[in-house]
Each structure stands twice: as C-alpha cells, then as structure tokens.
Amino acid sequence: ALRCLQSIPSTRAHNQNTAVMESQNHVDDLSPKKTTILTKLSNGPVMTGSRKRPSEGNCDKEKEQCIALFDQWSETDQVEFVEHLISHMCHYQHGHINSYLKPMLQRDFITALPAQGLDHIAENILSFLDAQSLCSAELVCKEWQRVISEGMLWKKLIERMVRTDPLWKGLSERHQWEKYLFKNRTTEVPPNSYYHSLYPKIIQDIETIEANWRCGRHNLQRIQCRSENSKGVYCLQYDDDKIISGLRDNSIKIWDKQSLECLKILTGHTGSVLCLQYDERVIVTGSSDSTVRVWDVTSGEVLNTLIHHNEAVLHLRFCNGLMVTCSKDRSIAVWDMASPTDISLRRVLVGHRAAVNVVDFDDKYIVSASGDRTIKVWSTSTCEFVRTLNGHKRGIACLQYRDRLVVSGSSDNTIRLWDIECGACLRVLEGHEELVRCIRFDNKRIVSGAYDGKIKVWDLQAALDPRAPASTLCLRTLVEHSGRVFRLQFDEFQIISSSHDDTILIWDFLNVSTNGQSEGRSPSRTYTYISR
C-alpha cells in the first residue's frame, strides 16, 4: 500500500507531461495566428480540477488580445479553436458553457417562419396539436395567436375529430354545425373564435352523453306494430331516415325514423321473417319458409328468391359481393352476389350438429354459432374449417365478430368474449336471467338483449381487462320491454330494440329531458300502426 502511495506523484507528473506534449502537437497543426494563444494554454499543466483564475487585471488584457486575434480568423478556424479550448476544460466548466449555450440555441420557429413568407408551414406544424396544447400555444405570444387564428386551426382540429371519431361525426350532423366544416375560407365560414368556443361545447355534449349511458338516462319512443294474426318483431336494422323490421306475421315493415309512421309493407314470404339486412340498393330477408328474398329498397319489388335451405333461414350477412346464410338444417351457405338478380351458390359449409343460429364474417374469417354449443371458424377465401371455440354450456343464440374479437350470447344465460386467433375465452359476463338472444358491440360497449326482457349495457374495455372486477362490468340494465328481446342495434346516441311484445323501442341518450325525470326512465312517446 505504501509503494502505491509513493508511485502516485510520479504518475501524475507523467500525465501532466503527456498533456503538454499533446497540446504542443496541436499547436504545430494550427495557423501561426493561433499559436500565441495555444502556447499559453500549453505552458503549464492542465489542471482540470482547479477553479482558480489569475488576477483580474491580467485576465482582462489577455482576453482582449485573444478576442482581437479570434475575430481575425475564419469561421472554421474559430470553431476548431473553441473545440480545442473546450477539450482543456473540466466537467464543471462544460456544465456552465452548456447552460450559457442552451438559450442561444433556442429558436421561435413559429414566429420566424411567417417572417420568411412561410406562414403555411407554421400553420401545418401547429395543426398537429391537441386542444389543450393549442390553448397553451395561443398564450405564448401575439404572433403565435395570430398564426392560429388566421390558420383557422380550431376549425381544422374539429374537422380532424369529425373525420376520425363517429361520435363527433354524429354530433356534427345532429347539432347542424357540420355545415360550417370542410369549406374553404369564404364569407360563409365563421371566424376562428367561433370554432374556439364551439370546441368546449362539443366536449360538454360528449361528457353528457357518456354520463347518460352510464346512468341510464334516456328518452324513450315506442312503435306499436300490432298485427292481426301473430305478435313479434324478430329483426330490424335502421339508419338516420328509416327503420326496417321483419315480423312474425310474415311481413317486412318500413318505418320513418323521424315521424315513426309506417311507410311501406312488403309481403311475399309465407313464414315469419327471421333475419334481414339492407344497403342502399337492396333488402335481403330470410324466413321460416326456408327462402331468402332480395327486394328493391326503394320500390319494394321482389328481385330474386333463393331456394336452397331445407328448413328456416335463421340468419344472414352480406358485404362486398359475398353473402352467408345459415339455417335450422345445420348448414351454412356461401353465395357470390354479382348483382341482386345474379346470385350463385359458392360453397356449403357443414360441421355443426344442430341448427346454425347466427353467422358473421369479414375478409379473413366466417364465424358461425350453433345450438350444438360451439362456435366454428372458417376461412373466407377457401371456405375451409379453421377451428372450434368451446366453452358455452348450452346452445349459442347470437354473436358478433370484428377484428380479433368475437362476442357470443347463449341459452346458458352468459356472454363470452373470445380471441378468434387463438380460440381463448377472454371473459364471461353473467347477469341475464334467461337466454341471451341478441348482442352487439362497438369500441366502448357491449349491448345485449335477452328472453328476460332486459337490455344490458356492458363496459367493453373493462371486460377485456382481466384485472377488472366482475361487479364493475355491467353499466346499466334497461327494462321497458314486456316480452322477450329478439333483436337490437345501437350507435353512440341510441339503442333500437324489438321484442316479442310486438314493439320497437328507441332509447335516445342524446336528447334527454331533464324536467324532473327520474334516473333511468323517461316518459315514452307511443306510435301505433294497425295493419289492415
């Protein structure tokens, strides 16, 4: 240990001599003008740990001489010299220099760009900000505020939200501020301040709608579809203008969405209309008479009748020239739809051991569910069997499939969430007291209807979180139907459901009256249509 201590001075001296030699080598490489300054740096050892400085008078004179020489050099020589100078400093000095340089390196590019005639670039940069950041940007300075105002950035932010979020799009249509969007700068477009004040109002509307869903606050409208021979509305679909329903009395009724009056009745099936789907051109229906019929959505004329299944057609889906039907005869039929009048059978899928109650599909998979307690997955392109999802203890009555998620409802009174790729059951939802007859989900919620007459709203994101307690999953139970719930559809603002009680209910979570109404229930407006 004593020998080590004795060797320290000699080592330090060796290091100091080495530093002097390196400094001298650098001096040889530099121009003659810099030699004088660098010679001073290399005259003595580099004391990287010392913070002492010479007397003030000598330092000031030497600084003036250095600066006078420094100003005569080219920019390249100046940079090389400063780099060399910094290399002789200690870490403490580097920190001081860094603090000094930081504010010098900052640039207000939003203010600088318009000065160069580049306003559009400044606007484009700020257009990526969210609402909170845009508010902060307006407070930076008057120039930033001017760029935001003249660039109509609040308008652009709202337009971006409307393009990407169905809730925003729906609100823009219903509250009619959509007419002020997606227009170039004209006299008809309000100033940026209008959109700035509009944004918090939209946020407040969204928060109110979400609270209405959670608390069950709604405005209820009721369509009475009383038929002479039999009761029950088995299926429905709606858009902003109309509701199309399939009834137990063999008819299809089309209702005006605003007035709730019956616009048209389509007849032709000889059995109950169990399933339907429509687009802008056609209505396709399946019936207990074992046929599939294609109707013109405008005129109501029958365009085609498909006779293939041996028993009732229980469900169907069509999209992008492909249609899939399923039947009580245990089979699934895959059809090519070239046109409403040119529909040909591509393949029949067989594998279920009981009635196939429901099908859904996308470009990758066809998914079917049956009374045999299984969900089967098939390839859409090849129609080959892929896998079976097992877990329900009784027959499966309904399902929806989107992306990787399948949600199914069963006569075991439960709802199951599945990962279609691995076949794993992600969650079991319990709460219904009878068979779960219909189910739909979006990015936020699952809505289910059952033979117990109840509609339940579930938190989808919580259901996908294995840590979420089961008691937190059901957000609200809606009870208005007096019979079994057969079918429902919903969006961000409403649920429309149909039942064995021969009614169609519209549960409106947007236009909710607050005049002393109790939570979860509101007076219903009833419209009755009696068929003749």
Side-chain angles (χ1 to χ4, degrees), residues 103-125:
M104 296 177 67
L105 295 174
Q106 292 172 352
R107 288 291 183 271
D108 181 359
F109 57 89
I110 297 300
T111 301
L113 285 169
Q116 302 295 323
L118 301 173
D119 298 65
H120 63 288
I121 296 179
E123 291 173 9
N124 192 42
I125 292 169

PDB file of all heavy atoms in Angstrom, residues 103-125:
ATOM      1  N   PRO A 103     -29.999  28.713 -24.136  1.00  0.00           N
ATOM      2  CA  PRO A 103     -30.924  29.745 -24.626  1.00  0.00           C
ATOM      3  C   PRO A 103     -30.497  30.349 -25.963  1.00  0.00           C
ATOM      4  O   PRO A 103     -31.332  30.804 -26.736  1.00  0.00           O
ATOM      5  CB  PRO A 103     -30.901  30.799 -23.503  1.00  0.00           C
ATOM      6  CG  PRO A 103     -29.661  30.534 -22.730  1.00  0.00           C
ATOM      7  CD  PRO A 103     -29.400  29.077 -22.837  1.00  0.00           C
ATOM      8  N   MET A 104     -29.182  30.335 -26.248  1.00  0.00           N
ATOM      9  CA  MET A 104     -28.715  30.879 -27.520  1.00  0.00           C
ATOM     10  C   MET A 104     -29.126  30.000 -28.702  1.00  0.00           C
ATOM     11  O   MET A 104     -29.282  30.488 -29.829  1.00  0.00           O
ATOM     12  CB  MET A 104     -27.190  31.033 -27.501  1.00  0.00           C
ATOM     13  CG  MET A 104     -26.690  32.035 -26.472  1.00  0.00           C
ATOM     14  SD  MET A 104     -24.895  32.129 -26.434  1.00  0.00           S
ATOM     15  CE  MET A 104     -24.566  32.846 -28.034  1.00  0.00           C
ATOM     16  N   LEU A 105     -29.273  28.692 -28.419  1.00  0.00           N
ATOM     17  CA  LEU A 105     -29.617  27.742 -29.486  1.00  0.00           C
ATOM     18  C   LEU A 105     -31.120  27.638 -29.722  1.00  0.00           C
ATOM     19  O   LEU A 105     -31.552  27.051 -30.715  1.00  0.00           O
ATOM     20  CB  LEU A 105     -29.069  26.353 -29.145  1.00  0.00           C
ATOM     21  CG  LEU A 105     -27.545  26.250 -29.090  1.00  0.00           C
ATOM     22  CD1 LEU A 105     -27.124  24.873 -28.597  1.00  0.00           C
ATOM     23  CD2 LEU A 105     -26.941  26.516 -30.471  1.00  0.00           C
ATOM     24  N   GLN A 106     -31.939  28.158 -28.810  1.00  0.00           N
ATOM     25  CA  GLN A 106     -33.395  28.086 -28.976  1.00  0.00           C
ATOM     26  C   GLN A 106     -33.862  29.073 -30.027  1.00  0.00           C
ATOM     27  O   GLN A 106     -33.339  30.190 -30.128  1.00  0.00           O
ATOM     28  CB  GLN A 106     -34.096  28.366 -27.647  1.00  0.00           C
ATOM     29  CG  GLN A 106     -33.866  27.280 -26.612  1.00  0.00           C
ATOM     30  CD  GLN A 106     -34.398  27.661 -25.239  1.00  0.00           C
ATOM     31  OE1 GLN A 106     -34.804  28.806 -25.034  1.00  0.00           O
ATOM     32  NE2 GLN A 106     -34.372  26.736 -24.302  1.00  0.00           N
ATOM     33  N   ARG A 107     -34.864  28.616 -30.835  1.00  0.00           N
ATOM     34  CA  ARG A 107     -35.396  29.462 -31.890  1.00  0.00           C
ATOM     35  C   ARG A 107     -36.920  29.440 -31.857  1.00  0.00           C
ATOM     36  O   ARG A 107     -37.524  28.366 -31.764  1.00  0.00           O
ATOM     37  CB  ARG A 107     -34.929  28.971 -33.266  1.00  0.00           C
ATOM     38  CG  ARG A 107     -33.464  29.230 -33.562  1.00  0.00           C
ATOM     39  CD  ARG A 107     -33.199  30.730 -33.746  1.00  0.00           C
ATOM     40  NE  ARG A 107     -31.804  30.974 -34.087  1.00  0.00           N
ATOM     41  CZ  ARG A 107     -30.842  31.158 -33.192  1.00  0.00           C
ATOM     42  NH1 ARG A 107     -31.124  31.103 -31.898  1.00  0.00           N
ATOM     43  NH2 ARG A 107     -29.599  31.396 -33.575  1.00  0.00           N
ATOM     44  N   ASP A 108     -37.554  30.561 -31.935  1.00  0.00           N
ATOM     45  CA  ASP A 108     -39.013  30.641 -32.054  1.00  0.00           C
ATOM     46  C   ASP A 108     -39.359  30.486 -33.538  1.00  0.00           C
ATOM     47  O   ASP A 108     -39.559  31.466 -34.254  1.00  0.00           O
ATOM     48  CB  ASP A 108     -39.502  31.984 -31.505  1.00  0.00           C
ATOM     49  CG  ASP A 108     -41.021  32.117 -31.574  1.00  0.00           C
ATOM     50  OD1 ASP A 108     -41.670  31.173 -32.060  1.00  0.00           O
ATOM     51  OD2 ASP A 108     -41.542  33.173 -31.164  1.00  0.00           O
ATOM     52  N   PHE A 109     -39.428  29.230 -33.975  1.00  0.00           N
ATOM     53  CA  PHE A 109     -39.630  28.988 -35.407  1.00  0.00           C
ATOM     54  C   PHE A 109     -41.027  29.390 -35.867  1.00  0.00           C
ATOM     55  O   PHE A 109     -41.217  29.739 -37.027  1.00  0.00           O
ATOM     56  CB  PHE A 109     -39.364  27.515 -35.735  1.00  0.00           C
ATOM     57  CG  PHE A 109     -40.199  26.545 -34.944  1.00  0.00           C
ATOM     58  CD1 PHE A 109     -41.436  26.134 -35.394  1.00  0.00           C
ATOM     59  CD2 PHE A 109     -39.729  26.037 -33.738  1.00  0.00           C
ATOM     60  CE1 PHE A 109     -42.204  25.254 -34.660  1.00  0.00           C
ATOM     61  CE2 PHE A 109     -40.496  25.152 -33.000  1.00  0.00           C
ATOM     62  CZ  PHE A 109     -41.743  24.760 -33.459  1.00  0.00           C
ATOM     63  N   ILE A 110     -42.011  29.348 -34.968  1.00  0.00           N
ATOM     64  CA  ILE A 110     -43.366  29.744 -35.360  1.00  0.00           C
ATOM     65  C   ILE A 110     -43.402  31.230 -35.715  1.00  0.00           C
ATOM     66  O   ILE A 110     -44.086  31.650 -36.647  1.00  0.00           O
ATOM     67  CB  ILE A 110     -44.370  29.431 -34.228  1.00  0.00           C
ATOM     68  CG1 ILE A 110     -44.425  27.918 -33.969  1.00  0.00           C
ATOM     69  CG2 ILE A 110     -45.758  29.971 -34.574  1.00  0.00           C
ATOM     70  CD1 ILE A 110     -44.852  27.090 -35.163  1.00  0.00           C
ATOM     71  N   THR A 111     -42.640  32.035 -34.981  1.00  0.00           N
ATOM     72  CA  THR A 111     -42.561  33.464 -35.298  1.00  0.00           C
ATOM     73  C   THR A 111     -41.644  33.717 -36.494  1.00  0.00           C
ATOM     74  O   THR A 111     -41.907  34.591 -37.319  1.00  0.00           O
ATOM     75  CB  THR A 111     -42.038  34.241 -34.072  1.00  0.00           C
ATOM     76  OG1 THR A 111     -42.932  34.026 -32.977  1.00  0.00           O
ATOM     77  CG2 THR A 111     -41.931  35.729 -34.360  1.00  0.00           C
ATOM     78  N   ALA A 112     -40.571  32.916 -36.595  1.00  0.00           N
ATOM     79  CA  ALA A 112     -39.587  33.138 -37.659  1.00  0.00           C
ATOM     80  C   ALA A 112     -40.108  32.743 -39.044  1.00  0.00           C
ATOM     81  O   ALA A 112     -39.797  33.392 -40.037  1.00  0.00           O
ATOM     82  CB  ALA A 112     -38.312  32.362 -37.335  1.00  0.00           C
ATOM     83  N   LEU A 113     -40.910  31.683 -39.115  1.00  0.00           N
ATOM     84  CA  LEU A 113     -41.364  31.192 -40.426  1.00  0.00           C
ATOM     85  C   LEU A 113     -42.222  32.214 -41.175  1.00  0.00           C
ATOM     86  O   LEU A 113     -41.987  32.456 -42.367  1.00  0.00           O
ATOM     87  CB  LEU A 113     -42.111  29.869 -40.253  1.00  0.00           C
ATOM     88  CG  LEU A 113     -41.239  28.645 -39.961  1.00  0.00           C
ATOM     89  CD1 LEU A 113     -42.100  27.458 -39.535  1.00  0.00           C
ATOM     90  CD2 LEU A 113     -40.409  28.270 -41.184  1.00  0.00           C
ATOM     91  N   PRO A 114     -43.241  32.838 -40.542  1.00  0.00           N
ATOM     92  CA  PRO A 114     -44.012  33.838 -41.277  1.00  0.00           C
ATOM     93  C   PRO A 114     -43.158  35.010 -41.759  1.00  0.00           C
ATOM     94  O   PRO A 114     -43.441  35.592 -42.804  1.00  0.00           O
ATOM     95  CB  PRO A 114     -45.057  34.297 -40.257  1.00  0.00           C
ATOM     96  CG  PRO A 114     -45.196  33.151 -39.314  1.00  0.00           C
ATOM     97  CD  PRO A 114     -43.825  32.573 -39.215  1.00  0.00           C
ATOM     98  N   ALA A 115     -42.129  35.353 -41.001  1.00  0.00           N
ATOM     99  CA  ALA A 115     -41.249  36.448 -41.426  1.00  0.00           C
ATOM    100  C   ALA A 115     -40.522  36.117 -42.719  1.00  0.00           C
ATOM    101  O   ALA A 115     -40.108  37.014 -43.462  1.00  0.00           O
ATOM    102  CB  ALA A 115     -40.242  36.750 -40.311  1.00  0.00           C
ATOM    103  N   GLN A 116     -40.374  34.817 -42.995  1.00  0.00           N
ATOM    104  CA  GLN A 116     -39.750  34.364 -44.241  1.00  0.00           C
ATOM    105  C   GLN A 116     -40.788  34.035 -45.307  1.00  0.00           C
ATOM    106  O   GLN A 116     -40.460  33.428 -46.336  1.00  0.00           O
ATOM    107  CB  GLN A 116     -38.901  33.116 -43.955  1.00  0.00           C
ATOM    108  CG  GLN A 116     -37.807  33.310 -42.920  1.00  0.00           C
ATOM    109  CD  GLN A 116     -36.745  34.295 -43.393  1.00  0.00           C
ATOM    110  OE1 GLN A 116     -36.409  34.319 -44.572  1.00  0.00           O
ATOM    111  NE2 GLN A 116     -36.243  35.126 -42.476  1.00  0.00           N
ATOM    112  N   GLY A 117     -42.058  34.422 -45.052  1.00  0.00           N
ATOM    113  CA  GLY A 117     -43.120  34.122 -46.017  1.00  0.00           C
ATOM    114  C   GLY A 117     -43.578  32.679 -45.990  1.00  0.00           C
ATOM    115  O   GLY A 117     -44.128  32.174 -46.973  1.00  0.00           O
ATOM    116  N   LEU A 118     -43.375  31.991 -44.860  1.00  0.00           N
ATOM    117  CA  LEU A 118     -43.699  30.558 -44.747  1.00  0.00           C
ATOM    118  C   LEU A 118     -44.804  30.333 -43.700  1.00  0.00           C
ATOM    119  O   LEU A 118     -44.715  29.431 -42.873  1.00  0.00           O
ATOM    120  CB  LEU A 118     -42.437  29.767 -44.380  1.00  0.00           C
ATOM    121  CG  LEU A 118     -41.278  29.878 -45.378  1.00  0.00           C
ATOM    122  CD1 LEU A 118     -40.038  29.201 -44.839  1.00  0.00           C
ATOM    123  CD2 LEU A 118     -41.664  29.263 -46.731  1.00  0.00           C
ATOM    124  N   ASP A 119     -45.837  31.154 -43.765  1.00  0.00           N
ATOM    125  CA  ASP A 119     -46.953  31.012 -42.813  1.00  0.00           C
ATOM    126  C   ASP A 119     -47.554  29.619 -42.855  1.00  0.00           C
ATOM    127  O   ASP A 119     -47.946  29.061 -41.819  1.00  0.00           O
ATOM    128  CB  ASP A 119     -48.047  32.042 -43.123  1.00  0.00           C
ATOM    129  CG  ASP A 119     -47.557  33.472 -42.986  1.00  0.00           C
ATOM    130  OD1 ASP A 119     -46.684  33.864 -43.779  1.00  0.00           O
ATOM    131  OD2 ASP A 119     -48.054  34.170 -42.085  1.00  0.00           O
ATOM    132  N   HIS A 120     -47.679  29.050 -44.060  1.00  0.00           N
ATOM    133  CA  HIS A 120     -48.346  27.753 -44.205  1.00  0.00           C
ATOM    134  C   HIS A 120     -47.610  26.651 -43.465  1.00  0.00           C
ATOM    135  O   HIS A 120     -48.223  25.701 -42.970  1.00  0.00           O
ATOM    136  CB  HIS A 120     -48.493  27.403 -45.689  1.00  0.00           C
ATOM    137  CG  HIS A 120     -47.181  27.247 -46.412  1.00  0.00           C
ATOM    138  ND1 HIS A 120     -46.378  28.320 -46.724  1.00  0.00           N
ATOM    139  CD2 HIS A 120     -46.541  26.135 -46.873  1.00  0.00           C
ATOM    140  CE1 HIS A 120     -45.293  27.882 -47.363  1.00  0.00           C
ATOM    141  NE2 HIS A 120     -45.369  26.570 -47.456  1.00  0.00           N
ATOM    142  N   ILE A 121     -46.287  26.769 -43.363  1.00  0.00           N
ATOM    143  CA  ILE A 121     -45.517  25.743 -42.635  1.00  0.00           C
ATOM    144  C   ILE A 121     -45.777  25.878 -41.137  1.00  0.00           C
ATOM    145  O   ILE A 121     -45.970  24.873 -40.436  1.00  0.00           O
ATOM    146  CB  ILE A 121     -44.018  25.864 -42.955  1.00  0.00           C
ATOM    147  CG1 ILE A 121     -43.774  25.577 -44.439  1.00  0.00           C
ATOM    148  CG2 ILE A 121     -43.202  24.905 -42.081  1.00  0.00           C
ATOM    149  CD1 ILE A 121     -42.321  25.702 -44.861  1.00  0.00           C
ATOM    150  N   ALA A 122     -45.803  27.094 -40.638  1.00  0.00           N
ATOM    151  CA  ALA A 122     -46.104  27.310 -39.214  1.00  0.00           C
ATOM    152  C   ALA A 122     -47.492  26.792 -38.879  1.00  0.00           C
ATOM    153  O   ALA A 122     -47.697  26.133 -37.847  1.00  0.00           O
ATOM    154  CB  ALA A 122     -45.992  28.799 -38.880  1.00  0.00           C
ATOM    155  N   GLU A 123     -48.476  27.072 -39.745  1.00  0.00           N
ATOM    156  CA  GLU A 123     -49.837  26.582 -39.523  1.00  0.00           C
ATOM    157  C   GLU A 123     -49.876  25.058 -39.539  1.00  0.00           C
ATOM    158  O   GLU A 123     -50.565  24.439 -38.710  1.00  0.00           O
ATOM    159  CB  GLU A 123     -50.765  27.131 -40.610  1.00  0.00           C
ATOM    160  CG  GLU A 123     -51.006  28.626 -40.521  1.00  0.00           C
ATOM    161  CD  GLU A 123     -51.783  29.143 -41.715  1.00  0.00           C
ATOM    162  OE1 GLU A 123     -52.273  28.306 -42.506  1.00  0.00           O
ATOM    163  OE2 GLU A 123     -51.887  30.375 -41.872  1.00  0.00           O
ATOM    164  N   ASN A 124     -49.151  24.455 -40.470  1.00  0.00           N
ATOM    165  CA  ASN A 124     -49.156  22.992 -40.590  1.00  0.00           C
ATOM    166  C   ASN A 124     -48.559  22.333 -39.347  1.00  0.00           C
ATOM    167  O   ASN A 124     -49.058  21.310 -38.865  1.00  0.00           O
ATOM    168  CB  ASN A 124     -48.374  22.567 -41.833  1.00  0.00           C
ATOM    169  CG  ASN A 124     -48.596  21.104 -42.178  1.00  0.00           C
ATOM    170  OD1 ASN A 124     -49.710  20.616 -42.100  1.00  0.00           O
ATOM    171  ND2 ASN A 124     -47.539  20.412 -42.529  1.00  0.00           N
ATOM    172  N   ILE A 125     -47.510  22.942 -38.801  1.00  0.00           N
ATOM    173  CA  ILE A 125     -46.885  22.392 -37.593  1.00  0.00           C
ATOM    174  C   ILE A 125     -47.858  22.449 -36.413  1.00  0.00           C
ATOM    175  O   ILE A 125     -48.067  21.460 -35.702  1.00  0.00           O
ATOM    176  CB  ILE A 125     -45.587  23.161 -37.265  1.00  0.00           C
ATOM    177  CG1 ILE A 125     -44.520  22.892 -38.335  1.00  0.00           C
ATOM    178  CG2 ILE A 125     -45.059  22.777 -35.882  1.00  0.00           C
ATOM    179  CD1 ILE A 125     -43.314  23.796 -38.247  1.00  0.00           C
TER     180      ILE A 125
END
